[in-house]
Amino acid sequence: DKVNSAESMLKTQAGTLSTESIANYLAGATFTTLQMNQPAPNGFYRFRNVRSNKYLTTTLTGSKMTMAADATSAAIFYLTSDNKLVGYDNGFYTQNFDGNYGFQDASGTGYVVTFPNGNTYTEATACYHINRGNRSIYGNGATLDAGRDVATNHTDTGYDWTIEAVTALPLTIGQVGWSTFYAPVPVTIPAEVTAYIAGIEGNICTLTEVTGTVPANTGLILYKEDGGNVEMTIAESGSTDVTGNALVGGTNTVNRENGYTYYALQRKDGDNTKVGLYPYAGELKGFRAFYRKETAQAVAGFSFDTIITGIDGILGTDRTNDGTIYDLSGRRLNKPVKGLNIIGGKKVLVK
């Protein structure tokens, strides 16, 4: 702060201060160790403990977060713009309580965390403390401990953490083949996945396939035949056009807001062939997409078939670009019918 103040003074009073005045001002400054490679807000990270060589994870034993050797999705955390940590797997804010470290529930608003230099910090092997409130987090045990007061001289390397930037967000798509996804950063859609944005007007849902890299804060519906594990690679920016997308999401698992009906990806009546966006009464999970509509205008839902094969051939013909309507077999229709239609080259779902 003293350095910044001196710089400001130089800019505003250039030519009026002597070298002696500046030297005397800086002589009273108290300098702290330079903080290198600090985690930037709006980024995803893993935290590995220096002493145990294990990762902090969202997996719980009771109400305590646990440590693990493997860098799985459970070891990924999102640092928000206001410096609060959110678990990628569960969407909950972290918190310390009763000397332990765990998560808030869906009504939580989070706590600010800071990352001062650790005990064994060097520029070559940067490590940090994870401070929340008046506690430094300790990670040498099987479960996480909220540790000692930050004012205590921590000499145990169990308080030291290395911070690894995450470059791709893993996602498991169930065997049915469908999932949703939301990220606060641009991501590149993997080649083995078909991704859609959803335009919704009244009781009609139009799925439009998108490829390449989508902008930050884009809700997506994903399809991968027979499901499996995929990775959404984090990018610097996204140029894919997602205009008209009605899907939204968030980084936190939250409760539903009164006055709205929320539609989440579900199977209707447990039928794998009737996957769609249907009214949902539970918590809205972080890093997943959904649609919401004022309750007074709510509809029963939007279903779409898992049978994607054959549609691409219909979309590839010139006749689909003139606004005419076809069914899945390519037969021309006078008006949309209930279910999946091809209108102007797009897949349109009619309730």
Side-chain angles (χ1 to χ4, degrees):
D1 290 340
K2 287 280 188 180
V3 174
N4 292 335
S5 298
E7 181 182 8
S8 176
M9 183 171 64
L10 283 171
K11 290 179 178 179
T12 57
Q13 302 184 39
T16 66
L17 295 174
S18 66
T19 303
E20 183 180 3
S21 297
I22 297 171
N24 288 337
Y25 183 86
L26 290 176
T30 300
F31 297 101
T32 57
T33 304
L34 183 64
Q35 302 262 319
M36 300 291 289
N37 302 319
Q38 285 283 295
N42 298 316
F44 290 87
Y45 302 95
R46 289 186 174 97
F47 301 90
R48 191 191 329 225
N49 189 262
V50 170
R51 182 169 177 178
S52 69
N53 201 34
K54 292 182 178 181
Y55 290 97
L56 172 64
T57 78
T58 58
T59 305
L60 297 178
T61 296
S63 59
K64 298 180 181 181
M65 296 165 65
T66 60
M67 308 292 292
D70 297 327
T72 64
S73 63
I76 297 177
F77 293 82
Y78 175 65
L79 185 62
T80 66
S81 60
D82 52 357
N83 291 295
K84 300 174 181 179
L85 281 179
V86 179
Y88 172 65
D89 263 9
N90 62 16
F92 291 125
Y93 284 115
T94 61
Q95 70 166 356
N96 58 326
F97 56 95
D98 299 329
N100 300 312
Y101 205 64
F103 293 99
Q104 294 181 306
D105 61 22
S107 62
T109 57
Y111 295 97
V112 172
V113 294
T114 58
F115 305 96
N117 291 343
N119 303 313
T120 55
Y121 177 92
T122 67
E123 290 188 21
T125 57
C127 66
Y128 306 89
H129 288 166
I130 303 175
N131 288 356
R132 211 307 286 165
N134 66 342
R135 292 282 182 170
S136 294
I137 309 306
Y138 186 76
N140 187 44
T143 58
L144 209 64
D145 187 340
R148 296 181 179 179
D149 190 284
V150 295
T152 304
N153 182 22
H154 303 303
T155 58
D156 189 331
T157 55
Y159 289 99
D160 289 355
W161 302 81
T162 57
I163 303 176
E164 303 173 4
V166 172
T167 58
L169 298 173
L171 178 68
T172 298
I173 299 176
Q175 190 174 3
V176 176
W178 294 95
S179 183
T180 66
F181 181 79
Y182 170 92
V185 294
V187 293
T188 300
I189 298 165
E192 67 271 26
V193 170
T194 305
Y196 302 94
I197 57 174
I200 296 177
E201 185 173 353
N203 64 346
I204 296 178
C205 173
T206 303
L207 293 184
T208 302
E209 183 176 349
V210 291
T211 58
T213 302
V214 297
N217 305 308
T218 299
L220 295 170
I221 292 173
L222 305 178
Y223 179 77
K224 182 178 186 296
E225 188 173 2
D226 298 325
N229 297 322
V230 300
E231 288 193 338
M232 309 293 283
T233 303
I234 297 173
E236 290 294 324
S237 61
S239 58
T240 297
D241 185 7
V242 293
T243 303
N245 187 21
L247 297 173
V248 295
T251 59
N252 304 103
T253 297
V254 297
N255 295 313
R256 291 168 294 113
E257 184 179 347
N258 291 334
Y260 291 91
T261 296
Y262 290 81
Y263 301 82
L265 186 71
Q266 301 175 73
R267 294 177 296 169
K268 187 175 182 180
D269 302 323
D271 188 338
N272 288 350
T273 66
K274 295 180 179 179
V275 177
L277 297 172
Y278 299 108
Y280 182 66
E283 295 173 343
L284 302 165
K285 188 175 180 181
F287 306 106
R288 296 295 184 268
F290 55 88
Y291 170 65
R292 77 172 193 172
K293 190 179 184 70
E294 290 184 6
T295 299
Q297 302 174 0
V299 297
F302 308 92
S303 64
F304 41 94
D305 295 332
T306 58
I307 305 172
I308 300 299
T309 57
I311 296 177
D312 290 338
I314 298 171
L315 293 175
T317 61
D318 292 338
R319 64 181 181 175
T320 62
N321 298 321
D322 58 6
T324 52
I325 305 168
Y326 300 90
D327 62 16
L328 295 185
S329 66
R331 182 182 61 183
R332 184 166 180 168
L333 304 173
N334 293 324
K335 61 180 181 179
V337 297
K338 184 177 180 180
L340 191 60
N341 298 258
I342 307 300
I343 304 177
K346 296 180 178 180
K347 311 172 185 70
V348 177
L349 305 171
V350 179
K351 185 177 78 75

